[in-house]
PDB file of all heavy atoms in Angstrom:
ATOM      1  N   VAL B 244      -5.975   0.929  -7.359  1.00 92.00           N
ATOM      2  CA  VAL B 244      -4.530   0.702  -7.847  1.00 92.00           C
ATOM      3  C   VAL B 244      -4.669   0.290  -9.208  1.00 92.00           C
ATOM      4  O   VAL B 244      -3.841   0.690 -10.073  1.00 92.00           O
ATOM      5  CB  VAL B 244      -3.786  -0.385  -6.927  1.00 92.00           C
ATOM      6  CG1 VAL B 244      -2.538  -0.822  -7.670  1.00 92.00           C
ATOM      7  CG2 VAL B 244      -3.487   0.168  -5.566  1.00 92.00           C
ATOM      8  N   LYS B 245      -5.687  -0.421  -9.644  1.00 91.00           N
ATOM      9  CA  LYS B 245      -5.804  -0.959 -11.061  1.00 91.00           C
ATOM     10  C   LYS B 245      -5.930   0.204 -11.980  1.00 91.00           C
ATOM     11  O   LYS B 245      -5.674   0.028 -13.233  1.00 91.00           O
ATOM     12  CB  LYS B 245      -7.066  -1.862 -11.069  1.00 91.00           C
ATOM     13  CG  LYS B 245      -8.345  -1.295 -10.825  1.00 91.00           C
ATOM     14  CD  LYS B 245      -9.444  -2.294 -10.996  1.00 91.00           C
ATOM     15  CE  LYS B 245     -10.863  -1.591 -10.602  1.00 91.00           C
ATOM     16  NZ  LYS B 245     -11.318  -1.880  -9.307  1.00 91.00           N
ATOM     17  N   ASN B 246      -6.450   1.338 -11.440  1.00 90.00           N
ATOM     18  CA  ASN B 246      -6.560   2.581 -12.409  1.00 90.00           C
ATOM     19  C   ASN B 246      -5.359   3.358 -12.472  1.00 90.00           C
ATOM     20  O   ASN B 246      -5.305   4.304 -13.307  1.00 90.00           O
ATOM     21  CB  ASN B 246      -7.670   3.440 -11.937  1.00 90.00           C
ATOM     22  CG  ASN B 246      -9.043   2.775 -11.798  1.00 90.00           C
ATOM     23  OD1 ASN B 246      -9.294   1.925 -12.637  1.00 90.00           O
ATOM     24  ND2 ASN B 246      -9.870   2.980 -10.768  1.00 90.00           N
ATOM     25  N   MET B 247      -4.329   3.046 -11.778  1.00 92.00           N
ATOM     26  CA  MET B 247      -3.075   3.809 -11.763  1.00 92.00           C
ATOM     27  C   MET B 247      -2.301   3.574 -13.061  1.00 92.00           C
ATOM     28  O   MET B 247      -2.206   2.397 -13.432  1.00 92.00           O
ATOM     29  CB  MET B 247      -2.232   3.590 -10.627  1.00 92.00           C
ATOM     30  CG  MET B 247      -2.785   3.987  -9.274  1.00 92.00           C
ATOM     31  SD  MET B 247      -1.820   3.455  -7.792  1.00 92.00           S
ATOM     32  CE  MET B 247      -0.337   4.403  -8.062  1.00 92.00           C
ATOM     33  N   ARG B 248      -1.687   4.600 -13.703  1.00 94.00           N
ATOM     34  CA  ARG B 248      -0.933   4.340 -14.894  1.00 94.00           C
ATOM     35  C   ARG B 248       0.536   4.460 -14.559  1.00 94.00           C
ATOM     36  O   ARG B 248       1.406   3.914 -15.334  1.00 94.00           O
ATOM     37  CB  ARG B 248      -1.336   5.446 -15.917  1.00 94.00           C
ATOM     38  CG  ARG B 248      -2.688   5.485 -16.237  1.00 94.00           C
ATOM     39  CD  ARG B 248      -2.969   5.390 -17.676  1.00 94.00           C
ATOM     40  NE  ARG B 248      -4.374   5.657 -18.014  1.00 94.00           N
ATOM     41  CZ  ARG B 248      -5.292   4.584 -18.066  1.00 94.00           C
ATOM     42  NH1 ARG B 248      -5.085   3.514 -17.522  1.00 94.00           N
ATOM     43  NH2 ARG B 248      -6.587   4.937 -18.411  1.00 94.00           N
ATOM     44  N   SER B 249       0.939   5.227 -13.532  1.00 93.00           N
ATOM     45  CA  SER B 249       2.376   5.363 -13.159  1.00 93.00           C
ATOM     46  C   SER B 249       2.503   5.520 -11.681  1.00 93.00           C
ATOM     47  O   SER B 249       1.524   5.693 -10.925  1.00 93.00           O
ATOM     48  CB  SER B 249       2.990   6.499 -13.976  1.00 93.00           C
ATOM     49  OG  SER B 249       2.388   7.744 -13.583  1.00 93.00           O
ATOM     50  N   ILE B 250       3.752   5.437 -11.207  1.00 92.00           N
ATOM     51  CA  ILE B 250       3.893   5.640  -9.819  1.00 92.00           C
ATOM     52  C   ILE B 250       5.098   6.480  -9.571  1.00 92.00           C
ATOM     53  O   ILE B 250       6.188   6.399 -10.275  1.00 92.00           O
ATOM     54  CB  ILE B 250       4.013   4.330  -9.050  1.00 92.00           C
ATOM     55  CG1 ILE B 250       3.897   4.493  -7.530  1.00 92.00           C
ATOM     56  CG2 ILE B 250       5.260   3.420  -9.467  1.00 92.00           C
ATOM     57  CD1 ILE B 250       3.650   3.241  -6.749  1.00 92.00           C
ATOM     58  N   LYS B 251       5.110   7.376  -8.559  1.00 88.00           N
ATOM     59  CA  LYS B 251       6.205   8.103  -8.036  1.00 88.00           C
ATOM     60  C   LYS B 251       6.789   7.413  -6.808  1.00 88.00           C
ATOM     61  O   LYS B 251       6.004   6.628  -6.276  1.00 88.00           O
ATOM     62  CB  LYS B 251       5.670   9.542  -7.638  1.00 88.00           C
ATOM     63  CG  LYS B 251       5.260  10.382  -8.817  1.00 88.00           C
ATOM     64  CD  LYS B 251       4.875  11.634  -8.469  1.00 88.00           C
ATOM     65  CE  LYS B 251       4.473  12.605  -9.648  1.00 88.00           C
ATOM     66  NZ  LYS B 251       3.957  13.879  -9.311  1.00 88.00           N
ATOM     67  N   PRO B 252       7.887   7.630  -6.284  1.00 87.00           N
ATOM     68  CA  PRO B 252       8.317   7.055  -5.145  1.00 87.00           C
ATOM     69  C   PRO B 252       7.404   7.317  -3.888  1.00 87.00           C
ATOM     70  O   PRO B 252       6.905   8.379  -3.808  1.00 87.00           O
ATOM     71  CB  PRO B 252       9.734   7.834  -4.814  1.00 87.00           C
ATOM     72  CG  PRO B 252      10.189   8.260  -6.150  1.00 87.00           C
ATOM     73  CD  PRO B 252       8.880   8.584  -6.939  1.00 87.00           C
ATOM     74  N   ILE B 253       7.162   6.227  -3.166  1.00 87.00           N
ATOM     75  CA  ILE B 253       6.192   6.291  -2.092  1.00 87.00           C
ATOM     76  C   ILE B 253       6.695   5.436  -0.996  1.00 87.00           C
ATOM     77  O   ILE B 253       7.237   4.370  -1.121  1.00 87.00           O
ATOM     78  CB  ILE B 253       4.801   5.744  -2.580  1.00 87.00           C
ATOM     79  CG1 ILE B 253       3.829   5.909  -1.441  1.00 87.00           C
ATOM     80  CG2 ILE B 253       4.971   4.410  -3.086  1.00 87.00           C
ATOM     81  CD1 ILE B 253       2.330   5.651  -1.863  1.00 87.00           C
ATOM     82  N   ILE B 254       6.531   5.988   0.229  1.00 83.00           N
ATOM     83  CA  ILE B 254       6.707   5.233   1.475  1.00 83.00           C
ATOM     84  C   ILE B 254       5.388   5.212   2.221  1.00 83.00           C
ATOM     85  O   ILE B 254       4.785   6.187   2.570  1.00 83.00           O
ATOM     86  CB  ILE B 254       7.815   5.864   2.375  1.00 83.00           C
ATOM     87  CG1 ILE B 254       9.141   6.060   1.729  1.00 83.00           C
ATOM     88  CG2 ILE B 254       7.931   5.087   3.589  1.00 83.00           C
ATOM     89  CD1 ILE B 254      10.205   6.682   2.515  1.00 83.00           C
ATOM     90  N   ILE B 255       4.941   3.928   2.514  1.00 84.00           N
ATOM     91  CA  ILE B 255       3.789   3.715   3.156  1.00 84.00           C
ATOM     92  C   ILE B 255       4.147   3.478   4.740  1.00 84.00           C
ATOM     93  O   ILE B 255       4.845   2.529   4.950  1.00 84.00           O
ATOM     94  CB  ILE B 255       2.958   2.449   2.615  1.00 84.00           C
ATOM     95  CG1 ILE B 255       2.636   2.804   1.149  1.00 84.00           C
ATOM     96  CG2 ILE B 255       1.684   2.214   3.501  1.00 84.00           C
ATOM     97  CD1 ILE B 255       2.028   1.654   0.334  1.00 84.00           C
ATOM     98  N   PHE B 256       3.714   4.324   5.505  1.00 80.00           N
ATOM     99  CA  PHE B 256       3.994   4.251   6.998  1.00 80.00           C
ATOM    100  C   PHE B 256       2.808   3.557   7.707  1.00 80.00           C
ATOM    101  O   PHE B 256       1.685   3.901   7.424  1.00 80.00           O
ATOM    102  CB  PHE B 256       4.210   5.677   7.583  1.00 80.00           C
ATOM    103  CG  PHE B 256       5.450   6.224   7.166  1.00 80.00           C
ATOM    104  CD1 PHE B 256       5.438   7.187   6.076  1.00 80.00           C
ATOM    105  CD2 PHE B 256       6.682   5.878   7.792  1.00 80.00           C
ATOM    106  CE1 PHE B 256       6.640   7.785   5.561  1.00 80.00           C
ATOM    107  CE2 PHE B 256       7.906   6.536   7.278  1.00 80.00           C
ATOM    108  CZ  PHE B 256       7.786   7.433   6.292  1.00 80.00           C
ATOM    109  N   SER B 257       3.210   2.614   8.633  1.00 82.00           N
ATOM    110  CA  SER B 257       2.093   1.911   9.282  1.00 82.00           C
ATOM    111  C   SER B 257       2.511   1.663  10.692  1.00 82.00           C
ATOM    112  O   SER B 257       3.752   1.570  10.988  1.00 82.00           O
ATOM    113  CB  SER B 257       1.847   0.605   8.608  1.00 82.00           C
ATOM    114  OG  SER B 257       0.875  -0.265   9.315  1.00 82.00           O
ATOM    115  N   GLY B 258       1.493   1.403  11.625  1.00 79.00           N
ATOM    116  CA  GLY B 258       1.916   1.188  13.011  1.00 79.00           C
ATOM    117  C   GLY B 258       1.133  -0.208  13.280  1.00 79.00           C
ATOM    118  O   GLY B 258      -0.110  -0.308  13.114  1.00 79.00           O
ATOM    119  N   GLU B 259       1.918  -1.038  13.939  1.00 78.00           N
ATOM    120  CA  GLU B 259       1.252  -2.317  14.361  1.00 78.00           C
ATOM    121  C   GLU B 259       0.127  -2.218  15.401  1.00 78.00           C
ATOM    122  O   GLU B 259      -0.628  -3.038  15.525  1.00 78.00           O
ATOM    123  CB  GLU B 259       2.317  -3.308  14.783  1.00 78.00           C
ATOM    124  CG  GLU B 259       3.282  -3.742  13.657  1.00 78.00           C
ATOM    125  CD  GLU B 259       4.283  -4.800  14.153  1.00 78.00           C
ATOM    126  OE1 GLU B 259       4.163  -5.270  15.361  1.00 78.00           O
ATOM    127  OE2 GLU B 259       5.144  -5.104  13.302  1.00 78.00           O
ATOM    128  N   ASN B 260       0.040  -1.105  16.095  1.00 78.00           N
ATOM    129  CA  ASN B 260      -0.931  -0.890  17.155  1.00 78.00           C
ATOM    130  C   ASN B 260      -1.917   0.173  16.648  1.00 78.00           C
ATOM    131  O   ASN B 260      -2.694   0.633  17.573  1.00 78.00           O
ATOM    132  CB  ASN B 260      -0.322  -0.414  18.449  1.00 78.00           C
ATOM    133  CG  ASN B 260       0.653  -1.422  19.085  1.00 78.00           C
ATOM    134  OD1 ASN B 260       0.292  -2.682  18.926  1.00 78.00           O
ATOM    135  ND2 ASN B 260       1.589  -1.013  19.844  1.00 78.00           N
ATOM    136  N   ASP B 261      -2.042   0.328  15.401  1.00 76.00           N
ATOM    137  CA  ASP B 261      -3.058   1.257  14.842  1.00 76.00           C
ATOM    138  C   ASP B 261      -4.432   0.642  15.114  1.00 76.00           C
ATOM    139  O   ASP B 261      -4.756  -0.386  14.619  1.00 76.00           O
ATOM    140  CB  ASP B 261      -2.773   1.548  13.351  1.00 76.00           C
ATOM    141  CG  ASP B 261      -3.676   2.691  12.920  1.00 76.00           C
ATOM    142  OD1 ASP B 261      -4.795   3.045  13.383  1.00 76.00           O
ATOM    143  OD2 ASP B 261      -3.138   3.307  11.943  1.00 76.00           O
ATOM    144  N   GLU B 262      -5.334   1.271  15.843  1.00 74.00           N
ATOM    145  CA  GLU B 262      -6.585   0.852  16.189  1.00 74.00           C
ATOM    146  C   GLU B 262      -7.631   1.247  15.116  1.00 74.00           C
ATOM    147  O   GLU B 262      -8.794   0.862  15.199  1.00 74.00           O
ATOM    148  CB  GLU B 262      -7.132   1.484  17.601  1.00 74.00           C
ATOM    149  CG  GLU B 262      -7.360   2.850  17.619  1.00 74.00           C
ATOM    150  CD  GLU B 262      -5.978   3.779  17.739  1.00 74.00           C
ATOM    151  OE1 GLU B 262      -4.951   3.232  17.847  1.00 74.00           O
ATOM    152  OE2 GLU B 262      -6.237   5.041  17.642  1.00 74.00           O
ATOM    153  N   ARG B 263      -7.245   2.092  14.148  1.00 73.00           N
ATOM    154  CA  ARG B 263      -8.238   2.522  13.077  1.00 73.00           C
ATOM    155  C   ARG B 263      -7.893   1.925  11.795  1.00 73.00           C
ATOM    156  O   ARG B 263      -8.746   1.530  11.031  1.00 73.00           O
ATOM    157  CB  ARG B 263      -8.244   4.064  12.937  1.00 73.00           C
ATOM    158  CG  ARG B 263      -8.770   4.718  14.243  1.00 73.00           C
ATOM    159  CD  ARG B 263      -8.812   6.224  13.935  1.00 73.00           C
ATOM    160  NE  ARG B 263      -9.314   6.862  15.176  1.00 73.00           N
ATOM    161  CZ  ARG B 263      -9.594   8.076  15.265  1.00 73.00           C
ATOM    162  NH1 ARG B 263      -9.446   8.934  14.216  1.00 73.00           N
ATOM    163  NH2 ARG B 263      -9.974   8.653  16.452  1.00 73.00           N
ATOM    164  N   VAL B 264      -6.656   1.867  11.431  1.00 75.00           N
ATOM    165  CA  VAL B 264      -6.216   1.302  10.131  1.00 75.00           C
ATOM    166  C   VAL B 264      -5.336   0.208  10.434  1.00 75.00           C
ATOM    167  O   VAL B 264      -4.185   0.276  10.769  1.00 75.00           O
ATOM    168  CB  VAL B 264      -5.577   2.219   9.200  1.00 75.00           C
ATOM    169  CG1 VAL B 264      -5.260   1.702   7.807  1.00 75.00           C
ATOM    170  CG2 VAL B 264      -6.463   3.529   9.056  1.00 75.00           C
ATOM    171  N   ASN B 265      -5.791  -1.106  10.223  1.00 76.00           N
ATOM    172  CA  ASN B 265      -5.065  -2.267  10.536  1.00 76.00           C
ATOM    173  C   ASN B 265      -3.805  -2.239   9.749  1.00 76.00           C
ATOM    174  O   ASN B 265      -3.809  -1.886   8.566  1.00 76.00           O
ATOM    175  CB  ASN B 265      -5.840  -3.505  10.309  1.00 76.00           C
ATOM    176  CG  ASN B 265      -5.237  -4.831  10.620  1.00 76.00           C
ATOM    177  OD1 ASN B 265      -4.136  -5.113  10.356  1.00 76.00           O
ATOM    178  ND2 ASN B 265      -5.962  -5.524  11.450  1.00 76.00           N
ATOM    179  N   ALA B 266      -2.680  -2.681  10.350  1.00 79.00           N
ATOM    180  CA  ALA B 266      -1.347  -2.787   9.709  1.00 79.00           C
ATOM    181  C   ALA B 266      -1.440  -3.604   8.460  1.00 79.00           C
ATOM    182  O   ALA B 266      -0.646  -3.410   7.519  1.00 79.00           O
ATOM    183  CB  ALA B 266      -0.274  -3.339  10.659  1.00 79.00           C
ATOM    184  N   GLU B 267      -2.309  -4.638   8.407  1.00 84.00           N
ATOM    185  CA  GLU B 267      -2.483  -5.467   7.175  1.00 84.00           C
ATOM    186  C   GLU B 267      -2.825  -4.730   6.009  1.00 84.00           C
ATOM    187  O   GLU B 267      -2.455  -4.951   4.868  1.00 84.00           O
ATOM    188  CB  GLU B 267      -3.543  -6.575   7.465  1.00 84.00           C
ATOM    189  CG  GLU B 267      -3.049  -7.601   8.402  1.00 84.00           C
ATOM    190  CD  GLU B 267      -1.971  -8.545   7.776  1.00 84.00           C
ATOM    191  OE1 GLU B 267      -2.056  -8.790   6.492  1.00 84.00           O
ATOM    192  OE2 GLU B 267      -0.919  -8.788   8.505  1.00 84.00           O
ATOM    193  N   GLN B 268      -3.575  -3.584   6.204  1.00 86.00           N
ATOM    194  CA  GLN B 268      -4.022  -2.729   5.079  1.00 86.00           C
ATOM    195  C   GLN B 268      -2.876  -2.132   4.299  1.00 86.00           C
ATOM    196  O   GLN B 268      -2.806  -2.116   3.092  1.00 86.00           O
ATOM    197  CB  GLN B 268      -5.014  -1.632   5.477  1.00 86.00           C
ATOM    198  CG  GLN B 268      -6.407  -2.189   5.965  1.00 86.00           C
ATOM    199  CD  GLN B 268      -7.408  -1.183   6.234  1.00 86.00           C
ATOM    200  OE1 GLN B 268      -7.434  -0.202   5.663  1.00 86.00           O
ATOM    201  NE2 GLN B 268      -8.072  -1.410   7.336  1.00 86.00           N
ATOM    202  N   ALA B 269      -1.809  -1.759   5.138  1.00 86.00           N
ATOM    203  CA  ALA B 269      -0.611  -1.167   4.497  1.00 86.00           C
ATOM    204  C   ALA B 269       0.104  -2.159   3.750  1.00 86.00           C
ATOM    205  O   ALA B 269       0.645  -2.015   2.677  1.00 86.00           O
ATOM    206  CB  ALA B 269       0.267  -0.461   5.568  1.00 86.00           C
ATOM    207  N   ARG B 270       0.166  -3.433   4.328  1.00 89.00           N
ATOM    208  CA  ARG B 270       0.887  -4.487   3.681  1.00 89.00           C
ATOM    209  C   ARG B 270       0.141  -4.924   2.324  1.00 89.00           C
ATOM    210  O   ARG B 270       0.762  -5.058   1.269  1.00 89.00           O
ATOM    211  CB  ARG B 270       0.944  -5.699   4.536  1.00 89.00           C
ATOM    212  CG  ARG B 270       1.724  -5.441   5.814  1.00 89.00           C
ATOM    213  CD  ARG B 270       1.854  -6.624   6.668  1.00 89.00           C
ATOM    214  NE  ARG B 270       2.255  -6.240   8.013  1.00 89.00           N
ATOM    215  CZ  ARG B 270       1.741  -6.626   9.179  1.00 89.00           C
ATOM    216  NH1 ARG B 270       0.644  -7.426   9.098  1.00 89.00           N
ATOM    217  NH2 ARG B 270       2.112  -6.147  10.308  1.00 89.00           N
ATOM    218  N   PHE B 271      -1.170  -4.869   2.359  1.00 91.00           N
ATOM    219  CA  PHE B 271      -1.869  -5.283   1.291  1.00 91.00           C
ATOM    220  C   PHE B 271      -1.717  -4.143   0.206  1.00 91.00           C
ATOM    221  O   PHE B 271      -1.569  -4.543  -1.035  1.00 91.00           O
ATOM    222  CB  PHE B 271      -3.467  -5.398   1.471  1.00 91.00           C
ATOM    223  CG  PHE B 271      -3.725  -6.485   2.296  1.00 91.00           C
ATOM    224  CD1 PHE B 271      -4.933  -6.365   3.163  1.00 91.00           C
ATOM    225  CD2 PHE B 271      -3.136  -7.652   2.438  1.00 91.00           C
ATOM    226  CE1 PHE B 271      -5.308  -7.416   4.039  1.00 91.00           C
ATOM    227  CE2 PHE B 271      -3.514  -8.772   3.240  1.00 91.00           C
ATOM    228  CZ  PHE B 271      -4.646  -8.565   4.069  1.00 91.00           C
ATOM    229  N   MET B 272      -1.739  -2.915   0.489  1.00 92.00           N
ATOM    230  CA  MET B 272      -1.540  -1.776  -0.404  1.00 92.00           C
ATOM    231  C   MET B 272      -0.157  -1.882  -1.117  1.00 92.00           C
ATOM    232  O   MET B 272       0.010  -1.816  -2.351  1.00 92.00           O
ATOM    233  CB  MET B 272      -1.716  -0.469   0.217  1.00 92.00           C
ATOM    234  CG  MET B 272      -1.606   0.672  -0.661  1.00 92.00           C
ATOM    235  SD  MET B 272      -3.040   0.604  -1.822  1.00 92.00           S
ATOM    236  CE  MET B 272      -2.838   2.240  -2.617  1.00 92.00           C
ATOM    237  N   THR B 273       0.953  -2.232  -0.242  1.00 93.00           N
ATOM    238  CA  THR B 273       2.181  -2.295  -0.712  1.00 93.00           C
ATOM    239  C   THR B 273       2.344  -3.405  -1.741  1.00 93.00           C
ATOM    240  O   THR B 273       2.886  -3.355  -2.858  1.00 93.00           O
ATOM    241  CB  THR B 273       3.242  -2.478   0.396  1.00 93.00           C
ATOM    242  OG1 THR B 273       3.063  -1.460   1.315  1.00 93.00           O
ATOM    243  CG2 THR B 273       4.625  -2.630  -0.054  1.00 93.00           C
ATOM    244  N   GLU B 274       1.817  -4.588  -1.440  1.00 94.00           N
ATOM    245  CA  GLU B 274       1.717  -5.765  -2.348  1.00 94.00           C
ATOM    246  C   GLU B 274       0.967  -5.470  -3.586  1.00 94.00           C
ATOM    247  O   GLU B 274       1.547  -5.873  -4.652  1.00 94.00           O
ATOM    248  CB  GLU B 274       1.180  -6.954  -1.484  1.00 94.00           C
ATOM    249  CG  GLU B 274       1.240  -8.256  -2.368  1.00 94.00           C
ATOM    250  CD  GLU B 274       2.676  -8.565  -2.841  1.00 94.00           C
ATOM    251  OE1 GLU B 274       3.677  -8.420  -1.974  1.00 94.00           O
ATOM    252  OE2 GLU B 274       2.802  -9.180  -3.909  1.00 94.00           O
ATOM    253  N   ALA B 275      -0.124  -4.797  -3.468  1.00 94.00           N
ATOM    254  CA  ALA B 275      -0.855  -4.506  -4.653  1.00 94.00           C
ATOM    255  C   ALA B 275      -0.086  -3.491  -5.619  1.00 94.00           C
ATOM    256  O   ALA B 275      -0.011  -3.728  -6.844  1.00 94.00           O
ATOM    257  CB  ALA B 275      -2.167  -3.780  -4.335  1.00 94.00           C
ATOM    258  N   LEU B 276       0.670  -2.564  -5.072  1.00 95.00           N
ATOM    259  CA  LEU B 276       1.442  -1.670  -5.885  1.00 95.00           C
ATOM    260  C   LEU B 276       2.724  -2.472  -6.456  1.00 95.00           C
ATOM    261  O   LEU B 276       2.963  -2.172  -7.650  1.00 95.00           O
ATOM    262  CB  LEU B 276       2.046  -0.538  -5.001  1.00 95.00           C
ATOM    263  CG  LEU B 276       1.030   0.551  -4.573  1.00 95.00           C
ATOM    264  CD1 LEU B 276       1.615   1.417  -3.555  1.00 95.00           C
ATOM    265  CD2 LEU B 276       0.352   1.228  -5.795  1.00 95.00           C
ATOM    266  N   TYR B 277       3.228  -3.347  -5.773  1.00 96.00           N
ATOM    267  CA  TYR B 277       4.355  -4.316  -6.288  1.00 96.00           C
ATOM    268  C   TYR B 277       3.812  -5.052  -7.519  1.00 96.00           C
ATOM    269  O   TYR B 277       4.479  -5.177  -8.450  1.00 96.00           O
ATOM    270  CB  TYR B 277       4.844  -5.271  -5.205  1.00 96.00           C
ATOM    271  CG  TYR B 277       5.772  -4.726  -4.188  1.00 96.00           C
ATOM    272  CD1 TYR B 277       5.996  -5.400  -2.979  1.00 96.00           C
ATOM    273  CD2 TYR B 277       6.507  -3.509  -4.362  1.00 96.00           C
ATOM    274  CE1 TYR B 277       6.896  -4.879  -2.006  1.00 96.00           C
ATOM    275  CE2 TYR B 277       7.359  -2.998  -3.441  1.00 96.00           C
ATOM    276  CZ  TYR B 277       7.593  -3.637  -2.198  1.00 96.00           C
ATOM    277  OH  TYR B 277       8.465  -3.273  -1.245  1.00 96.00           O
ATOM    278  N   ARG B 278       2.555  -5.588  -7.390  1.00 95.00           N
ATOM    279  CA  ARG B 278       2.112  -6.313  -8.406  1.00 95.00           C
ATOM    280  C   ARG B 278       1.743  -5.549  -9.773  1.00 95.00           C
ATOM    281  O   ARG B 278       1.914  -5.858 -10.869  1.00 95.00           O
ATOM    282  CB  ARG B 278       0.772  -7.077  -8.030  1.00 95.00           C
ATOM    283  CG  ARG B 278       1.021  -8.364  -7.170  1.00 95.00           C
ATOM    284  CD  ARG B 278      -0.270  -9.250  -6.979  1.00 95.00           C
ATOM    285  NE  ARG B 278      -1.439  -8.459  -6.622  1.00 95.00           N
ATOM    286  CZ  ARG B 278      -1.663  -8.310  -5.294  1.00 95.00           C
ATOM    287  NH1 ARG B 278      -0.944  -8.759  -4.412  1.00 95.00           N
ATOM    288  NH2 ARG B 278      -2.780  -7.653  -5.026  1.00 95.00           N
ATOM    289  N   LYS B 279       1.250  -4.346  -9.462  1.00 96.00           N
ATOM    290  CA  LYS B 279       0.785  -3.314 -10.545  1.00 96.00           C
ATOM    291  C   LYS B 279       2.056  -2.771 -11.238  1.00 96.00           C
ATOM    292  O   LYS B 279       2.118  -2.644 -12.471  1.00 96.00           O
ATOM    293  CB  LYS B 279      -0.063  -2.224 -10.003  1.00 96.00           C
ATOM    294  CG  LYS B 279      -0.307  -1.122 -11.001  1.00 96.00           C
ATOM    295  CD  LYS B 279      -1.335  -1.590 -12.042  1.00 96.00           C
ATOM    296  CE  LYS B 279      -1.729  -0.425 -12.892  1.00 96.00           C
ATOM    297  NZ  LYS B 279      -2.701  -0.765 -13.840  1.00 96.00           N
ATOM    298  N   PHE B 280       3.197  -2.556 -10.363  1.00 96.00           N
ATOM    299  CA  PHE B 280       4.341  -1.918 -10.939  1.00 96.00           C
ATOM    300  C   PHE B 280       5.573  -2.880 -10.578  1.00 96.00           C
ATOM    301  O   PHE B 280       6.375  -2.441  -9.810  1.00 96.00           O
ATOM    302  CB  PHE B 280       4.496  -0.489 -10.383  1.00 96.00           C
ATOM    303  CG  PHE B 280       3.427   0.400 -10.693  1.00 96.00           C
ATOM    304  CD1 PHE B 280       2.496   0.659  -9.690  1.00 96.00           C
ATOM    305  CD2 PHE B 280       3.200   0.967 -11.968  1.00 96.00           C
ATOM    306  CE1 PHE B 280       1.380   1.500  -9.990  1.00 96.00           C
ATOM    307  CE2 PHE B 280       2.113   1.774 -12.274  1.00 96.00           C
ATOM    308  CZ  PHE B 280       1.216   2.084 -11.310  1.00 96.00           C
ATOM    309  N   PRO B 281       5.667  -3.985 -11.150  1.00 96.00           N
ATOM    310  CA  PRO B 281       6.738  -4.976 -10.818  1.00 96.00           C
ATOM    311  C   PRO B 281       8.150  -4.462 -10.965  1.00 96.00           C
ATOM    312  O   PRO B 281       9.099  -4.928 -10.301  1.00 96.00           O
ATOM    313  CB  PRO B 281       6.500  -6.185 -11.633  1.00 96.00           C
ATOM    314  CG  PRO B 281       5.642  -5.667 -12.833  1.00 96.00           C
ATOM    315  CD  PRO B 281       4.819  -4.445 -12.251  1.00 96.00           C
TER     316      PRO B 281
END
């Protein structure tokens, strides 16, 4: 995320029962994007 210069509209989809990608990862990514592009 630190290397990104701009952002287009994005929706991050997540499932609370995802056995491969923990839902926390989607939350962390969303928060990182909010911090980078306030």
Side-chain angles (χ1 to χ4, degrees):
V244 168
K245 65 181 178 259
N246 299 326
M247 294 176 68
R248 304 233 189 280
S249 63
I250 189 163
K251 295 180 180 180
I253 182 171
I254 301 174
I255 299 172
F256 291 95
S257 176
E259 290 181 9
N260 292 328
D261 192 329
E262 68 282 355
R263 293 188 184 183
V264 182
N265 187 305
E267 286 294 318
Q268 291 184 41
R270 295 179 199 136
F271 294 151
M272 185 66 173
T273 303
E274 184 59 35
L276 291 170
Y277 283 160
R278 283 194 308 272
K279 175 73 177 184
F280 303 103

